[in-house]
Amino acid sequence: MRIRDWDSNLKVRLFAEAAMNITYWMFFPFLSIYFADEFGKNRAGFMLVFSQIFSVIANLLGGYCADRFGRKRMMVFSSIGQGLSFFIFGVASSPWIQSPWVGFISFAFAGIFGSLYWPASQAMVADVVDEKQRSNVFAVFYTSLNIAVVIGPLLGAIFYVHYRFQLLLLAGVVCITLGIVLTKWTRETAPVSKGSALSDNEKWYDVLKKQLKKYSQIIKDRTFLLFIIAGVLAGQTFMQLDMLLPVYIKDVVKEQSLFSIGDWSHTVAGEQAFGIVLAENGFLVAIFTVAVTKWMSRYYERNVFVLSSIVYALSLVLFSQTEWIWRLILAMAVFTFAELMGAGLQQSFVSKIAPPHMRGQYFAASSLRFTISRTIAPLSIPMTVWIGYNWTFFILFILALFSAALYWLMFYSLEKKSLKWGSS
């Protein structure tokens, strides 16, 4: 399905969200450094955990809000709310006012609004695109996001250190502009029947209770429970991309030459080095996702899942044993390969183990791998104070190996269940 054949809603969103994502990724990866410098690593880690709890709740409620209030309305509301949050964050980091606490609260609210935006944006795609074409449309949006992850950190590495105030104001303006664009050039796509099916007396906490009850029922599936736990453990590795790694690289990478031509050389240090490494991740994901997924689909899923966790563990060893930018670039290549190995196969695995009448709920519950991981992952920052970088990386290395073991146990349980069904 070519972009020119898309629904006008999606065309508008593709380009408007691309501008927002590039601006966002110009400063977001560096915020863990900012909070660690302002509050200390101990406090910053716990504060980030605290902020993620609210984002998790918002994510659980996001689907309900999109159905009840409409996709467009939630997306406009979230965009403007996120823009105002960034604007306040910028003012709190201005040459005239320095208030890290106001900045952190604004960051937490920006995360909540972002969590409310995502379910509505996904639902809008499902509303206007035929089922057989949805994967292609989602792939284009995913590629657009990863292009932003390439461009944003590279620009951020140049401008963030000296122009954080201006970048945050720019992000606020872009998000509010996105809200205005969505208001003027998109239409509501939510089916009327969905909105009216919900009781007017139903409260947000009732919806939250229902969601948690659904998850508790699904997690009684032992195979799926092992999948979630293994995913959470593996997530403690890949969630460090914007938690531990920026703080680590900023601390250990001193000014050094990236490359030299004759008498001219380009040097990098700290935040700039991290921007380059993060952009490398986005570039590799954007270029090789389809190829690696196709390659991995030739192999038994168990071997791919287990090996992915082992490669994650290996990348952590490489990160922890070097301060040289080119070895960090190599470590990120290994890290990204581990990410791509399981990226495409995990969703198809969920559809395989889920009962046909519960696939939607299983997919929703599978997102717990990411929400729980993102909530716990910031604890790695205070751990560097308690036990140092080497031991922190070692613990993450062990967790990655545990996830490999759980993936193996999960497939053993699944095969055992299949044999039992076959014999009966």
Side-chain angles (χ1 to χ4, degrees), residues 221 223-224 227 296-305 344-360 362-363 366 410-411 414-415 417-418 421:
D221 181 334
T223 301
F224 191 70
F227 177 71
M296 290 299 117
S297 64
R298 301 175 186 173
Y299 303 104
Y300 182 34
E301 288 169 326
R302 181 194 65 193
N303 299 336
V304 175
F305 285 15
L345 297 184
Q346 294 209 356
Q347 293 296 83
S348 63
F349 176 76
V350 174
S351 66
K352 185 183 298 184
I353 65 172
H357 65 287
M358 296 182 68
R359 277 186 185 143
Y362 265 72
F363 273 112
S366 72
M410 176 190 74
F411 277 96
L414 186 61
E415 290 163 2
K417 186 189 297 183
S418 298
W421 287 345

Side-chain angles (χ1 to χ4, degrees), residues 233-300:
L233 293 179
Q236 297 316 298
T237 303
F238 62 77
M239 289 295 176
Q240 302 307 328
L241 189 62
D242 51 24
M243 295 293 171
L244 174 63
L245 291 181
V247 177
Y248 171 72
I249 292 175
K250 188 253 183 181
D251 282 353
V252 304
V253 178
K254 308 306 177 184
E255 190 166 332
Q256 55 185 268
S257 175
L258 178 63
F259 55 81
S260 59
I261 303 174
D263 295 331
W264 181 82
S265 66
H266 179 70
T267 59
V268 294
E271 288 96 338
Q272 287 185 329
F274 173 67
I276 291 169
V277 169
L278 182 61
E280 174 200 0
N281 172 263
F283 175 77
L284 294 176
V285 169
I287 297 297
F288 293 111
T289 296
V290 175
V292 174
T293 299
K294 187 175 181 180
W295 178 24
M296 290 299 117
S297 64
R298 301 175 186 173
Y299 303 104
Y300 182 34

Side-chain angles (χ1 to χ4, degrees), residues 34-202:
Y34 169 72
F35 290 129
D37 287 344
E38 292 294 338
F39 298 112
K41 294 176 184 176
N42 268 333
R43 183 180 290 178
F46 286 107
M47 288 170 64
L48 289 170
V49 169
F50 184 71
S51 71
Q52 287 302 317
I53 292 173
F54 290 101
S55 293
V56 169
I57 294 172
N59 190 62
L60 290 174
L61 293 172
Y64 160 77
C65 292
D67 285 343
R68 179 155 192 169
F69 304 114
R71 315 334 185 185
K72 176 180 175 177
R73 184 180 296 179
M74 286 308 303
M75 291 167 68
V76 170
F77 169 74
S78 300
S79 299
I80 294 176
Q82 196 169 42
L84 292 174
S85 299
F86 287 139
F87 186 81
I88 295 171
F89 194 169
V91 171
S93 302
S94 69
W96 311 282
I97 302 174
Q98 291 291 322
S99 178
W101 278 105
V102 173
F104 173 76
I105 293 170
S106 301
F107 169 74
F109 272 100
I112 291 171
F113 285 118
S115 295
L116 290 173
Y117 184 96
W118 188 83
S121 70
Q122 303 298 294
M124 180 177 280
V125 174
D127 291 339
V128 300
V129 180
D130 293 336
E131 185 176 353
K132 64 181 180 180
Q133 298 291 348
R134 283 175 197 163
S135 60
N136 293 330
V137 174
F138 282 125
V140 173
F141 275 98
Y142 183 68
T143 301
S144 172
L145 174 61
N146 280 287
I147 291 172
V149 176
V150 175
I151 299 172
L154 287 177
L155 294 174
I158 300 170
F159 296 109
Y160 170 80
V161 176
H162 302 294
Y163 302 101
R164 182 174 66 245
F165 164 59
Q166 290 87 342
L167 283 179
L168 288 166
L169 289 187
L170 176 62
V173 170
V174 171
C175 286
I176 292 173
T177 302
L178 172 63
I180 295 171
V181 168
L182 293 173
T183 301
K184 290 179 68 67
W185 287 292
T186 63
R187 70 187 188 284
E188 183 55 67
T189 63
V192 176
S193 59
K194 286 189 177 181
S196 61
L198 292 163
S199 169
D200 290 333
N201 297 322
E202 195 170 29

